[in-house]
Amino acid sequence: MEKDQKTKVNKDNNSAMLKVATFIVDRRNLFFLLIGIALIFCAISSKWVKVENDLAAYLPDTSETSRGLSLMDEQFITYGSAKLMVANITYEEADHICDEIESREDVTMVSFGDGSDHYNDFSALYEITFVYPEDDERCLKGLEEIKQSLEGYDIYVSTSMGDQAAEIIDQEMKVVSALVVVVVLSVLIFTSSTYAEVPVLLLTFGASAVLAAGTNFFLGTISFVSDSVTIVLQLALSVDYAIIFCNRYKEEHQSLDIREADIVALSKSIPEICSSSLTTVGGLIAMMFMQYGIGKDMAICLIKAIFFSLLSVFLFMPGLIMVFGKAMDKTRHKSFIPEISFVGRFDYFTRFIIPPAFVALVIAAFILSGKCPYVYGYSKIETPVKNETQIADEMIRSAFGDSNFVALVVPAGSYEKESQLMKRLEERDEVDRCQGLANTEAMDGYMLTDALSAREFSELFNVDYEVSELLYMAYAINDENYAKIINGFSGYRIPLLDIVMFLYDEVEEGYVTLDEDLTDTLKDANARMQMAKDQLQGEDYSRILVYLNLPEEGDETFAFLDEMHEIAGEYYDGSDNITVVGEPTSQYDLMKTFSRDNKVVSIVSILAVLAVLLFTFLSAGMPVLLIIVIQGAIWINFSFPTLQHTYLFFMGYLIVSSIQMGANIDYAIVISGRYTELRKIMDKKQAVVETLNFAFPTIITSGSMMVLSGVAIGRLSSDATICGIGQCLGRGTTISIILVMFVLPQILMVGEKIIERTSFEVSVPIKLDRGFGTVRVDGFVRGQINGTVVGEMHALVRGEVAAVVTMGSLQQIDPGADPETDAHHLISGEVSENED
C-alpha cells in the first residue's frame, strides 16, 4: 500500500532504474497533467496535417515523372475536366443534355457526337472542359451543379479534380479504426486475467495514437498511406510493450503492494521493452533506404509512433496502474487462454521431420516469391470493395473502353516538327491518335498552326484585303521580319494561332477597330485558341497528347515509351530535352525504383535485425536461425499471389516485408529466449512444452491483433495500396505465428550445438559487489552466495555475498534492524528517518 507519510529515496543504495521508476510513479499527477496538455494539443494539431494523395510525388527528383510534372506545372495550364456518362437514354436526349451543359458559362467545351466514342449502347459520354484551371474550386462547384441538373438519370463521373479519393479513404479508415478498436477490446478481454487491466491498456494505446497523429504536422506533408494506416499499424506493432509491462506488474504484485510492484515492474520493463522495440525499429529503418520516398515517409511516421508508444507505456501507464490497481485486484478472473502442451509435445516428436521439410518449403517459397506478379498501378488490381469513383471508372471503361494517354513534352519553336512527329507516331500500331496544336482544328477546317496568307485570312474572317495586308505588315514589323515588308506579302504566311492572337491584342489596345460581329467572332476564336495554347504550348516547350492502344503498364508499354524518346529525338537532336509524362511513365519509374528498393529493403532489414539479435543472444548462430524462420515466412507470404494468379501492388511487399521482419521477429525472440533459459534446468521435451505454454499468451494477444487489423484493412479499403498492405500484413503475421509455434522449436532443438559453438562473451569491466551479514540482492547475479549463483533473484541473504549484480542492486542492511521490515523498505525505495 502507498504510505500517507512522505519518505525519501535512498540515493546511495537504489539502482538508477529504480530511482527513475520511483520518480515516474510518485510524480504521476505531474505526468498526467503534461500528457493531458499534449493530448489536447495533438487532438487539435491533427487537423493541421497536410496529406499528399499522389504516389508519383514520392518518386526520386531524378525520375522522368518528377521532372516532367515539374516542367508541365511551370510551362502549361491544365484546365479542369471530367468525363460524365449518362446511361439508359436515347441519342436525342443525350444531344439535348450536351446543349445544356455547353451553354453554361463555366464550360468552355463539351466533346460529344454520334460516334461510338461518345454514344454506345444507350449510354452517352461527355468530355467536359471548364474555363478554370483544375485546381480552381469553381470547377468542382460547376461539376456538382451539372450532376444536380441530371438528377433522375443514371450518371457516372470520372475526374482527377479535387480530393475525392482522399475523402473516400478517410471515411473507410474511420470504419476500419472503429472495427480495430472492437477487435482490440475483444482480444484484451479474452487474454486478460483481470477485467480492469483492459481500460489501462486501451487508455495507453489511445494516448500514444493521439500523440503520434497530432505530431505528424511537424513533418510538413505525409502520404495518404501513412495517414491512413499508421494508427492501425502502431497498435499492431507496439501492443507488446504495454502487455509486457502489465504482465510484469501482475507478477510483482503477487508479493508486493500496488506502488512497490508498479515501481519494480517499471524498472525491469524499461530495458526489456526498449530491447524489444529495437528489432521493430530496425526493420522500419530499412524502409528509409528506399529510393521511393514513400518508404521514408512511412518509416518516420511509424518510428515516431513507436516512440510515443514507449513514452505512453513508461510515463502514462504507471500512473494508470496506480489509479486502477485496486479495481484490477477486485476484477480478477480465470484465464481464458488454454495451455497448449500438445503443441510442445508435437514439436518434440517431429524435431527431426519438420526442419528438413521447412527447408524444402522455404526453397520453393523463395522461387515462387521471385515470380510474384507485381504491378505499379491500379488498373489490374481488384479490391474486395469498390468506391463510387472506381465504379464510375469501371462503368465508363466497360461502355467506351480504356483511354490511356501520355504527354510528350518537346522543345517549342517549330510547328512543322510537331506536325511531322505526330504523323510519324500515328503511323505506329501502338498509337491511336495524337493531339497537339498542329492538328487541333481552329475554325472552318483550318488547324491552329496552319500558315495563312493575308488573302486567306481576309476570306476566313471576311475583312477587306487591304486591312488584312496592314495587319500582316504590323505583325512583320513586330516580328522584326523586315524582309517580308520589302519583298511584299504574296508569299508571307503566318500561323493562324499567332495572327489571331496578334489581331486580338491590337483590337484590345485600340490600334485596330472592327465591327461588332467580327469583334465577337475574334473574341470567341481567341478564347478557344488561348485555352489550347495554355494547355499545349509553353514559353519553352510544347505538349503533345499521345493516345495509346496499349495497357497502362506492361513490358510492351514500357518498351514503347523508350521508343517514343528515340523517335522524338530524331526531330529534336537527341532525347535530353524530351519528356514523356503520364500514368504509364509513372508506373515505369516505379518499376525501376522497385528493382533497387527490393534488394535494399531486404538486405538492410535483415542486417539491422541481425545486429540487434547478435548482442541480445551473444551468439552468431541463434540470430541466423531466427531470421531464417521469419524470412521464410516472408517468402511464403509473397508466394500466395503467384499461386493465386493475383496481382500485387509493389508497395505491399516493400512495406510489409520490413514490418514482418521487424515485428514478427519478437515472437521468435520470446520463444528462443525462454527455451534457452529453461534448457539449463530441463530436458528438451519439458523445456519446449513449458516454453510454448509461456509464450502462447503473448504471441496470441499481439499476433491476433495484427492479423485481424490487417484483415480489416485488406477487406474494407477500396484503395489498392492500403488494401494490399492489409492483406499481406494479415496473411504474413498468420504465417509467422504458425512457423514460430510449429517450426522454430524443432529448429532450436536440432540446432542447439550450432548455437553453443557460435556463442561468445563480451568482455566488460567487472565490478564485484560485496556484502556481509544481512544483504538484500536484486537483479541478475553471477557470483558466490554461500555457493555459486547465476540467475535473477530477489532475496535476503544472511552471510557473505561476493557477486556481479547487473540491472539491479546489492544493499547492506543494518544488522540491528528487522530484516523483513528493511526488505520491504528497500523494495519500495523508502527508509525511515533514523536511517537517513
Side-chain angles (χ1 to χ4, degrees):
M1 295 176 59
E2 183 176 356
K3 297 184 180 299
D4 296 330
Q5 183 180 1
K6 290 186 178 180
T7 58
K8 298 180 295 180
V9 176
N10 190 331
K11 297 181 180 179
D12 294 328
N13 293 333
N14 273 356
S15 70
M17 202 59 70
L18 277 172
K19 293 177 185 177
V20 171
T22 302
F23 178 81
I24 292 172
V25 173
D26 288 346
R27 299 293 185 271
R28 57 188 176 277
N29 289 332
L30 171 63
F31 289 109
F32 282 158
L33 175 63
L34 294 176
I35 291 175
I37 294 171
L39 288 173
I40 293 172
F41 172 79
C42 288
I44 298 172
S45 64
S46 62
K47 307 296 182 183
W48 305 342
V49 180
K50 295 180 180 178
V51 179
E52 175 58 64
N53 298 303
D54 186 6
L55 292 175
Y58 290 92
L59 283 165
D61 293 338
T62 56
S63 69
E64 185 171 16
T65 298
S66 293
R67 290 186 287 106
L69 290 174
S70 299
L71 188 62
M72 291 202 301
D73 285 342
E74 176 189 330
Q75 294 281 323
F76 310 106
I77 297 175
T78 301
Y79 288 91
S81 63
K83 288 183 177 180
L84 187 149
M85 188 180 93
V86 182
N88 303 314
I89 59 170
T90 64
Y91 180 77
E92 289 72 21
E93 290 178 292
D95 194 46
H96 177 68
I97 290 174
C98 177
D99 293 337
E100 288 186 347
I101 298 175
E102 204 165 19
S103 65
R104 293 179 57 91
E105 292 184 357
D106 55 359
V107 173
T108 183
M109 183 174 63
V110 179
S111 296
F112 178 73
D114 58 1
S116 59
D117 289 344
H118 292 101
Y119 187 78
N120 184 40
D121 196 21
F122 294 99
S123 295
L125 180 63
Y126 308 97
E127 297 180 62
I128 304 169
T129 304
F130 293 91
V131 298
Y132 311 113
E134 65 176 354
D135 56 356
D136 194 312
E137 289 294 325
R138 288 174 292 184
C139 292
L140 289 173
K141 181 181 178 182
L143 181 59
E144 189 60 34
E145 290 175 357
I146 292 172
K147 289 165 62 177
Q148 291 175 2
S149 69
L150 295 173
E151 190 174 356
Y153 288 96
D154 295 330
I155 62 172
Y156 303 92
V157 179
S158 175
T159 181
S160 60
M161 298 187 301
D163 289 329
Q164 189 175 10
E167 294 170 3
I168 291 171
I169 292 172
D170 183 59
Q171 292 299 319
E172 289 175 348
M173 292 312 297
K174 286 179 180 178
V175 175
V176 171
S177 298
L179 181 59
V180 169
V181 169
V182 174
V183 167
V184 170
L185 185 61
S186 303
V187 172
L188 289 179
I189 291 174
F190 177 77
T191 58
S192 66
S193 59
T194 168
Y195 291 118
E197 74 183 62
V198 175
V200 172
L201 296 173
L202 288 178
L203 287 171
T204 304
F205 299 152
S208 62
V210 173
L211 291 171
T215 52
N216 280 335
F217 83 96
F218 288 115
L219 302 177
T221 301
I222 64 173
S223 71
F224 74 94
V225 181
S226 300
D227 184 59
S228 301
V229 302
T230 294
I231 291 180
V232 177
L233 292 181
Q234 176 185 4
L235 172 62
L237 292 172
S238 60
V239 64
D240 286 349
Y241 310 151
I243 293 174
I244 288 172
F245 179 32
C246 188
N247 289 340
R248 176 66 76 173
Y249 163 75
K250 288 184 289 185
E251 181 182 335
E252 298 294 337
H253 189 40
Q254 292 177 5
S255 59
L256 302 174
D257 63 26
I258 294 174
R259 176 182 176 276
E260 294 161 354
D262 200 4
I263 292 173
V264 173
L266 181 59
S267 68
K268 294 178 180 178
S269 296
I270 290 175
E272 185 178 355
I273 292 171
C274 287
S275 176
S276 175
S277 68
L278 286 177
T279 55
T280 304
V281 172
L284 295 174
I285 286 175
M287 292 166 57
M288 298 185 70
F289 288 85
M290 286 169 56
Q291 196 175 32
Y292 187 39
I294 207 165
K296 182 178 181 181
D297 178 78
M298 279 204 71
I300 291 174
C301 288
L302 287 172
I303 291 173
K304 180 170 64 67
I306 288 173
F307 168 76
F308 282 111
S309 295
L310 294 173
L311 202 68
S312 294
V313 170
F314 295 155
L315 302 182
F316 187 45
M317 190 172 171
L320 292 176
I321 287 177
M322 293 298 297
V323 173
F324 286 88
K326 292 182 179 179
M328 290 172 67
D329 292 339
K330 294 178 180 179
T331 59
R332 289 177 180 169
H333 61 79
K334 183 180 179 181
S335 174
F336 300 123
I337 302 179
E339 290 192 347
I340 55 169
S341 300
F342 67 94
V343 176
R345 290 192 292 269
F346 169 83
D347 289 349
Y348 176 75
F349 288 116
T350 59
R351 63 189 184 278
F352 298 117
I353 301 173
I354 294 296
F358 174 69
V359 171
L361 177 62
V362 168
I363 293 173
F366 173 74
I367 295 171
L368 288 172
S369 64
K371 299 178 180 179
C372 185
Y374 297 110
V375 291
Y376 309 92
Y378 292 175
S379 59
K380 295 182 179 180
I381 298 179
E382 288 287 332
T383 54
V385 296
K386 290 183 172 63
N387 58 50
E388 183 180 337
T389 301
Q390 289 172 325
I391 293 172
D393 289 339
E394 194 173 274
M395 292 296 293
I396 293 173
R397 188 164 51 248
S398 175
F400 297 97
D402 286 322
S403 178
N404 179 26
F405 70 92
V406 294
L408 176 60
V409 182
V410 297
S414 175
Y415 295 141
E416 182 63 26
K417 284 184 180 180
E418 291 179 32
S419 179
Q420 292 175 0
L421 175 57
M422 285 191 288
K423 289 178 181 177
R424 174 82 176 277
L425 289 171
E426 287 177 338
E427 291 174 356
R428 296 294 299 260
D429 293 336
E430 296 91 343
V431 177
D432 178 42
R433 59 190 172 89
C434 295
Q435 183 69 56
L437 287 178
N439 65 351
T440 298
E441 185 175 352
M443 52 196 305
D444 291 353
Y446 284 106
M447 302 300 165
L448 287 172
T449 61
D450 283 350
L452 276 65
S453 65
R455 184 167 298 282
E456 288 170 331
F457 181 82
S458 69
E459 292 172 354
L460 178 63
F461 279 89
N462 196 24
V463 297
D464 292 339
Y465 177 65
E466 291 76 11
V467 173
S468 182
E469 275 192 321
L470 289 173
L471 176 65
Y472 269 57
M473 183 180 295
Y475 184 92
I477 294 172
N478 184 72
D479 196 38
E480 298 183 354
N481 200 337
Y482 302 111
K484 295 298 181 183
I485 303 174
I486 297 171
N487 298 329
F489 292 95
S490 58
Y492 188 32
R493 308 177 74 85
I494 303 173
L496 178 58
L497 171 68
D498 296 341
I499 191 62
V500 168
M501 299 186 78
F502 177 75
L503 175 58
Y504 179 80
D505 290 339
E506 295 294 296
V507 171
E508 286 291 296
E509 293 174 11
Y511 298 126
V512 176
T513 303
L514 302 174
D515 61 49
E516 186 175 346
D517 290 341
L518 187 55
T519 300
D520 292 339
T521 301
L522 179 64
K523 285 183 178 180
D524 181 63
N526 180 79
R528 289 178 177 273
M529 291 180 184
Q530 185 62 54
M531 287 195 68
K533 185 176 181 180
D534 289 341
Q535 297 183 82
L536 298 174
Q537 186 181 59
E539 185 176 345
D540 303 305
Y541 290 88
S542 291
R543 178 163 59 175
I544 299 171
L545 303 182
V546 183
Y547 292 83
L548 303 174
N549 293 320
L550 295 168
E552 279 191 1
E553 65 176 297
D555 293 339
E556 187 181 3
T557 302
F558 298 153
F560 185 67
L561 293 178
D562 291 333
E563 281 193 63
M564 286 179 63
H565 280 275
E566 295 174 6
I567 294 171
E570 295 176 13
Y571 295 89
Y572 294 95
D573 299 327
S575 59
D576 292 342
N577 292 324
I578 297 166
T579 309
V580 181
V581 189
E583 278 299 320
T585 308
S586 174
Q587 292 166 29
Y588 192 18
D589 286 337
L590 289 172
M591 185 191 75
K592 294 174 183 176
T593 63
F594 176 65
S595 60
R596 171 195 176 274
D597 290 343
N598 184 11
K599 298 175 184 176
V600 170
V601 168
S602 298
I603 294 172
V604 174
S605 62
I606 289 174
L607 290 178
V609 173
L610 184 64
V612 175
L613 296 180
L614 191 65
F615 291 98
T616 300
F617 290 101
L618 299 180
S619 167
M622 178 71 84
V624 173
L625 295 178
L626 300 190
I627 285 177
I628 287 174
V629 173
I630 300 303
Q631 185 61 52
I634 294 172
W635 286 332
I636 295 172
N637 186 13
F638 291 99
S639 297
F640 276 78
T642 305
L643 296 171
Q644 296 171 342
H645 302 289
T646 56
Y647 294 104
L648 175 66
F649 193 62
F650 78 103
M651 267 177 50
Y653 176 82
L654 292 175
I655 292 172
V656 173
S657 61
S658 297
I659 293 174
Q660 197 173 345
M661 176 58 73
N664 293 173
I665 196 74
D666 284 348
Y667 308 154
I669 292 173
V670 170
I671 289 178
S672 56
R674 188 68 170 184
Y675 175 77
T676 302
E677 179 182 340
L678 292 178
R679 275 292 286 134
K680 297 175 182 177
I681 57 175
M682 298 178 183
D683 60 27
K684 287 183 179 180
K685 182 177 180 180
Q686 187 179 3
V688 76
V689 169
E690 292 298 325
T691 293
L692 292 180
N693 282 332
F694 167 81
F696 183 63
T698 301
I699 293 174
I700 198 64
T701 301
S702 62
S704 60
M705 287 184 188
M706 187 176 287
V707 169
L708 294 173
S709 298
V711 170
I713 295 173
R715 299 297 302 175
L716 298 179
S717 176
S718 60
D719 182 83
T721 306
I722 298 172
C723 174
I725 291 173
Q727 291 174 340
C728 294
L729 183 65
R731 184 176 62 228
T733 303
T734 303
I735 294 169
S736 295
I737 292 174
I738 293 172
L739 291 187
V740 298
M741 298 293 290
F742 292 95
V743 175
L744 178 62
Q746 292 93 319
I747 291 177
L748 291 175
M749 285 184 276
V750 173
E752 279 187 355
K753 291 185 178 180
I754 296 175
I755 297 170
E756 291 175 5
R757 291 176 180 176
T758 57
S759 299
F760 59 89
E761 295 285 346
V762 178
S763 298
V764 294
I766 296 177
K767 176 180 177 295
L768 199 64
D769 294 308
R770 294 182 178 275
F772 302 91
T774 303
V775 182
R776 174 70 196 185
V777 181
D778 284 286
F780 186 87
V781 181
R782 182 187 298 273
Q784 290 189 337
I785 304 177
N786 290 332
T788 300
V789 174
V790 177
E792 187 175 346
M793 66 181 297
H794 306 282
L796 283 174
V797 177
R798 295 179 183 272
E800 180 179 353
V801 177
V804 176
V805 182
T806 57
M807 297 308 299
S809 62
L810 184 148
Q811 301 162 9
Q812 183 78 49
I813 295 177
D814 184 352
D818 178 26
E820 293 186 4
T821 302
D822 280 338
H824 171 80
H825 288 170
L826 287 165
I827 294 173
S828 62
E830 302 167 354
V831 295
S832 60
E833 291 295 335
N834 63 356
E835 291 174 317
D836 185 27

